[in-house]
Amino acid sequence: MPDRAPQPVDRQLPTDEARDLISLVRDIAQREIAPQAAEEEDAGRFPREVFRLLSESGLLGLPYDSEYGGGDQPYEVYLQVLEELAAVRLTVGLGVSVHTLASYALATYGSKQQQVEHLPAMLGGGLLGAYCLSEPASGSDAASLRTKALRDGDDWVISGTKAWITHGGIADFYTVMARTGEDGPRGISAFLVPGDAAGLSAAVPEKKMGMKGSPTAQVHFDGVRVGDDRRLGDEGQGFAIALSALDSGRLGIAACAIGVAQAALDEAVAYATERRQFGKPIADFQGLRFMLADMATQIEAGRALYLAAARLRDAGRPFAKQAAMAKLHCTDTAMKVTTDAVQILGGYGYTADFPAERYMREAKVLQIVEGTNQIQRMVIARHLAGPEGR
Ligand SMILES: Cc1cc2nc3c(=O)[nH]c(=O)nc-3n(C[C@H](O)[C@H](O)[C@H](O)COP(=O)(O)OP(=O)(O)OC[C@H]3O[C@@H](n4cnc5c(N)ncnc54)[C@H](O)[C@@H]3O)c2cc1C
């Protein structure tokens, strides 16, 4: 077997603290995540203990306020941590991204009292979060969601089914978008629901093409009762909160995609320099050299794009268009690069003896989650040409 140890990416980081953080993440990734990744993905096993370790190490609340247990890190640093994690195992990188997404509504729109009460446990207390927007009949058209929250005195009673929920059935808290008023986007509110709430249950996880270690399941809300103190933001503000969370979440998906693509490129380079045909390494053939050069160039472009969007966000500037562009470009790049990596490994690339086929299966989902790449194009076009049908 060729030595396929990945070369660390040469990162431009803003502080010594960020450099230490990346070293810590690389250490955890190589010691605690990489050795089991292939086997556990095959077995469909979620690495709960890895998430506990990440929480203890301060890595589950990086972009949030340290007053509530967060890491006070700029997005450009947090995203590079995600990239490093996703490169060794997407289930972990994407899981951290989803946990961060699930914490967003409380961290950004919650009252001081709600934040003091719940955030420290979410950001550094070992809890794992889930984000519940999609439903069986509403995916891209998320504003048509039907899960209802009805007022009953000081409580809300939530009923309905959410679909495709990452960490569904194993999460400790669920950020849930439910209808509290009129049809359409203005009738939706956000709620923080504990994982052990009476009436909350999860279906058997979906059987997926990839990321098999990450449970994705329908979550049923059968008269789940929560106090009004668990409503996040204003009544009717839930959809705006959900979309605002996704602007940031998409950057997480972009970073994960570049991690997967980088891992595939590293593997392809290592293989191509070892494997010999026609008396020389296959990396000597220009047909493959050009493929490798294109793969590396698209990855660098993707990394630069997500970091540019992150730096806008860190500067408090609008970044939604750039986040959609980053998600689109980085996930399409991951699909192309991982497919090319399988090609470069030839027949071996098509077997589970090498991780290239896993990377290719993982890349596909990134073109679908948190807004399909068709939806990203719609978002970008709206920024360019205004809303459709004016
Ligand atoms: C592994 C996995 C994990 C997920 N995790 C979560 C999660 O944690 N929380 C959550 O809420 N959701 C989650 N999702 C759901 C995900 O966000 C949706 O699958 C996605 O938004 C697409 O919705 P859909 O599957 O219903 O497809 P649809 O919306 O039915 O789309 C089907 C096809 O039509 C296209 N399409 C739809 N509308 C348009 C349009 N206007 N113009 C052009 N093309 C269009 C789409 O791009 C797609 O190709 C997850 C999904 C997967 C697969």
Side-chain angles (χ1 to χ4, degrees), residues 141-204:
D141 182 15
S144 66
L145 66 83
R146 291 205 289 247
T147 294
K148 273 199 160 49
L150 295 177
R151 188 108 202 200
D152 182 22
D154 286 341
D155 291 346
W156 293 90
V157 180
I158 305 175
S159 302
T161 295
K162 292 292 176 181
W164 306 110
I165 303 309
T166 301
H167 306 153
I170 61 165
D172 301 298
F173 64 91
Y174 293 80
T175 295
V176 181
M177 269 49 76
R179 190 161 300 286
T180 52
E182 67 193 59
D183 284 351
R186 291 198 182 81
I188 296 167
S189 303
F191 297 90
L192 181 65
V193 179
D196 60 0
L200 188 156
S201 63
V204 175

Side-chain angles (χ1 to χ4, degrees), residues 131-134 139-140 163-166 208 211 216 365 368-372 374-375 378:
Y131 172 88
C132 299
L133 179 63
S134 305
S140 301
W164 306 110
I165 303 309
T166 301
K208 305 197 297 295
M211 240 183 31
T216 311
V365 80
I368 296 170
V369 294
E370 297 197 24
T372 65
Q374 284 76 24
I375 296 302
M378 281 170 55

